Amino acid sequence: AELLKLDKVTRAFSDGTQQVMALSNVSFSVSEGETLAIVGPSGSGKSTLLSILGLLDRGYKGTYTISDTNAAALDNQQLAHLRNREIGWVFQNFNLISHLSVLHNVVLPMRYNREIDKRAYHQRALAVLDSVGLKDKLDAKPSQLSGGQQQRVAIARALANQPSLVLADEPTGNLDSKTGNMISELLMSLAQAGTTVIIVTHDDKVAAKCDTQIRLKDGTIAHGE
Ligand code: ADP
Ligand code: ADP
């Protein structure tokens, strides 16, 4: 089934004197359990697209539909709900909270999810940390972990609320190639469990692992090469 669809999405920014078209008429759809790579040079619109997909930016024209809902029609409460429950983020710099343990970093998104009680969220945190191979690091602080381990904690955190969509922004950008390969394989494995994974990447090897690749050029999808 289809998870999300963009129909002629256009995003313009005004930088004082002139309009910058960060995205122009971008249309595509993504299925449940699909992996999608977004590639393209710096300034081509990748971050702008990811912000729209993650419901962080609503200043676009055109239509973004996620889980059969028009994102533009959501009120703030519904937006916050969808962002917390349906979307998990993974970043280049991991963005873990340094003074919290591994376990508490993963628990954190569940604290904003009133559907889970405290006992359940600790169980779930343990389960997702186990699934990324970090069950023996619960009490460690992020600084005590390698980059690859920190990214695995970040992936566990992204999965805490069992999202339908994981958005990863250069997830292997700070990792050596062997570790990056392991992290991209882990992201691909999420899709086997039905989670849709969208990765912005400069790494062709990561992009090649995804079911679909979208190449942006000056804010439009470049078809063919
Ligand atoms: P990428 O992530 O591929 O590097 P971006 O989406 O960041 O590309 O940027 C696409 C274009 O939109 C660039 O020309 C950038 O300068 C412009 N842009 C992005 N965000 C803003 C903003 N908040 N204000 C003005 N221009 C922006
Ligand atoms: P809070 O969630 O209010 O910060 P704690 O996290 O310290 O409180 O403890 C809440 C629950 O989480 C406790 O019931 C405890 O058993 C469980 N817990 C805390 N740390 C761990 C851990 N390392 N492994 C398993 N369970 C833990």
Side-chain angles (χ1 to χ4, degrees), residues 92-108:
Q92 179 169 0
N93 295 321
F94 323 129
N95 287 10
L96 299 173
I97 312 277
S98 60
H99 67 273
L100 293 181
S101 68
V102 163
L103 182 73
H104 283 96
N105 266 279
V106 174
V107 160
L108 201 56

Side-chain angles (χ1 to χ4, degrees), residues 4 13 24 33 35-36 39 71 110 130 156 173 175 195:
L4 61 88
F13 292 104
S24 307
T35 54
L36 169 71
V39 299
M110 293 188 261
D130 191 25
L175 303 173
T195 308

Side-chain angles (χ1 to χ4, degrees), residues 118-144:
K118 204 167 165 177
R119 245 165 318 169
Y121 65 50
H122 278 91
Q123 284 312 310
R124 202 189 273 186
L126 294 175
V128 285
L129 281 164
D130 191 25
S131 76
V132 301
L134 285 178
K135 211 179 177 175
D136 57 340
K137 299 287 184 191
L138 302 179
D139 298 319
K141 295 286 166 59
S143 62
Q144 298 171 303

Side-chain angles (χ1 to χ4, degrees), residues 13 20 22 41-48:
F13 292 104
V20 178
S42 180
S44 60
K46 303 183 298 296
S47 307
T48 302

Side-chain angles (χ1 to χ4, degrees), residues 7-224:
D7 187 29
K8 297 198 178 79
V9 166
T10 292
R11 179 55 160 122
F13 292 104
S14 151
D15 73 345
T17 50
Q18 57 184 14
Q19 287 258 106
V20 178
M21 297 299 277
L23 293 176
S24 307
N25 282 314
V26 168
S27 302
F28 63 89
S29 60
V30 185
S31 306
E32 291 171 358
E34 184 175 349
T35 54
L36 169 71
I38 299 170
V39 299
S42 180
S44 60
K46 303 183 298 296
S47 307
T48 302
L49 179 54
L50 214 49
S51 297
I52 292 169
L53 292 170
L55 300 170
L56 300 175
D57 177 13
R58 297 214 290 170
Y60 58 88
K61 294 207 166 73
T63 310
Y64 172 33
T65 311
I66 177 165
S67 300
D68 296 319
T69 307
N70 180 351
L74 297 165
D75 64 30
N76 287 339
Q77 198 182 341
Q78 292 168 315
L79 259 186
H81 184 92
L82 263 184
R83 281 193 200 123
N84 178 246
R85 305 303 153 77
E86 297 300 330
I87 301 173
W89 285 88
V90 176
F91 303 96
Q92 179 169 0
N93 295 321
F94 323 129
N95 287 10
L96 299 173
I97 312 277
S98 60
H99 67 273
L100 293 181
S101 68
V102 163
L103 182 73
H104 283 96
N105 266 279
V106 174
V107 160
L108 201 56
M110 293 188 261
R111 290 185 185 280
Y112 301 95
N113 183 345
R114 269 165 291 159
E115 285 156 23
I116 318 178
D117 71 30
K118 204 167 165 177
R119 245 165 318 169
Y121 65 50
H122 278 91
Q123 284 312 310
R124 202 189 273 186
L126 294 175
V128 285
L129 281 164
D130 191 25
S131 76
V132 301
L134 285 178
K135 211 179 177 175
D136 57 340
K137 299 287 184 191
L138 302 179
D139 298 319
K141 295 286 166 59
S143 62
Q144 298 171 303
L145 302 178
S146 69
Q149 288 172 329
Q150 290 185 59
Q151 196 61 301
R152 283 191 278 151
V153 176
I155 291 169
R157 178 183 57 187
L159 297 175
N161 285 326
Q162 302 176 329
S164 45
L165 175 63
V166 168
L167 297 175
D169 192 357
E170 295 284 359
T172 64
N174 275 349
L175 303 173
D176 63 70
S177 63
K178 186 163 164 256
T179 308
N181 191 48
M182 201 187 63
I183 291 298
S184 55
E185 290 296 337
L186 179 58
L187 288 167
M188 294 305 122
S189 74
L190 308 183
Q192 264 127 54
T195 308
T196 299
V197 180
I198 298 182
I199 306 178
V200 165
T201 185
H202 280 109
D203 186 337
D204 291 338
K205 278 189 292 198
V206 175
K209 285 179 185 166
C210 293
D211 300 323
T212 313
Q213 293 79 28
I214 283 179
R215 182 171 300 277
L216 289 178
K217 188 168 182 273
D218 299 331
T220 63
I221 296 180
H223 291 284

